[in-house]
Amino acid sequence: MSEAGREADDLTAFCCQNPECRDYGQRGKDNLTVPMRYGPQQRRLLRCRTCKARFSEREGTPLFGALLPEDKVVAVLEHIAEGVGVRKTGRLVGVNKNTVVRYCLLAGDHARQLHDEVVAFSPGDA
């Protein structure tokens, strides 16, 4: 990929996923690069300049390691967010109810982590 292609990548929403890194979990540090893309969907492989760790752009999200196509995962989570039950969501999306439960748990864990991150930086009561 050319330098111009790398510059076009907006990486401000990402952070280093290596817990040993001093920039771990800190977004917008300008420490990430895209050394390559991989797979049929051309996902970005990110590299931290601080610790040299490499990780997928999906690491740390409910989509990391997903075997379902992205549109099905999104459909499952949209149905659940609208209050549709697990069994009915499975029927509507065409997946097993256990798959729905698995993605719900993954999304819940991710939401909890994001909540904790946002609350940690919220201004206190003055």
Side-chain angles (χ1 to χ4, degrees):
M1 172 178 282
S2 69
E3 281 298 315
R6 286 191 180 125
E7 290 178 50
D9 287 314
D10 179 14
L11 303 176
T12 56
F14 297 96
C15 58
C16 183
Q17 296 294 306
N18 176 9
E20 308 287 315
C21 180
R22 74 171 188 258
D23 291 331
Y24 171 70
Q26 299 178 43
R27 300 182 202 292
K29 296 285 284 187
D30 198 32
N31 60 320
L32 301 177
T33 62
V34 181
M36 66 178 278
R37 293 177 182 266
Y38 67 96
Q41 290 82 21
Q42 291 296 290
R43 302 219 194 288
R44 294 177 289 191
L45 180 73
L46 305 179
R47 178 180 175 273
C48 176
R49 289 185 183 119
T50 306
C51 69
K52 312 297 187 241
R54 293 174 181 241
F55 47 91
S56 167
E57 67 182 323
R58 286 191 163 180
E59 191 165 327
T61 74
L63 294 173
F64 183 66
L67 300 178
L68 285 181
E70 182 174 347
D71 60 331
K72 281 205 175 204
V73 175
V74 170
V76 163
L77 296 176
E78 285 175 343
H79 281 81
I80 292 298
E82 288 295 322
V84 178
V86 170
R87 286 185 172 92
K88 188 171 185 178
T89 295
R91 282 193 306 273
L92 291 170
V93 179
V95 298
N96 187 287
K97 65 179 174 51
N98 294 333
T99 301
V100 174
V101 170
R102 186 173 71 248
Y103 283 106
C104 286
L105 292 171
L106 288 169
D109 287 343
H110 184 67
R112 181 186 40 76
Q113 291 169 5
L114 183 61
H115 171 269
D116 292 349
E117 177 183 327
V118 171
V119 169
F121 293 108
S122 296
D125 293 334

